[in-house]
Amino acid sequence: MNAKEALYINALRALASSCKGNPASAQASYLAAQAMYNMASPDATSQDSSAPYTVQDAKTLADSILATSPESEGAINARNLLVQILHKDIQLTSEKV
């Protein structure tokens, strides 16, 4: 993770915490969760120490958005992110030798 991404997530989290109760804070939290999810390692089960965030971090934040602001735009986006996170997917690649 580069410094720019860390600053972005920290700024979104600071904005969300300073504006609690405002629907825009839920959207800011969602954007932070989305950024965490995008930066998480592709394999959520791996314990890669170089990944700054995990998919679980993004899921936890999305769950908290739904609990605190269930009717906001940020909650709708967080619900969609949770669907994406919880979607079961398997990929198989074969090669003819």
Side-chain angles (χ1 to χ4, degrees):
M1 172 171 79
N2 62 31
K4 189 185 233 184
E5 293 166 336
L7 287 173
Y8 176 67
I9 291 175
N10 289 338
L12 287 170
R13 291 180 121 177
L15 179 66
S17 66
S18 69
C19 300
K20 285 188 179 184
N22 187 336
S25 71
Q27 183 66 14
S29 293
Y30 157 73
L31 291 171
Q34 181 68 48
M36 288 177 187
Y37 177 71
N38 290 340
M39 289 190 299
S41 65
D43 182 10
T45 59
S46 73
Q47 298 298 324
D48 184 12
S49 61
S50 67
Y53 297 104
T54 63
V55 174
Q56 182 63 40
D57 295 333
K59 182 186 179 302
T60 302
L61 186 54
D63 285 334
S64 71
I65 295 166
L66 288 173
T68 57
S69 305
E71 299 299 319
S72 67
E73 180 182 359
I76 293 168
N77 291 332
R79 192 172 301 115
N80 291 334
L81 178 62
L82 282 172
V83 168
Q84 184 179 359
I85 290 171
L86 298 175
H87 177 73
K88 295 182 182 196
D89 186 29
I90 186 167
Q91 295 179 352
L92 177 66
T93 305
S94 65
E95 186 175 313
K96 191 172 186 177
V97 182

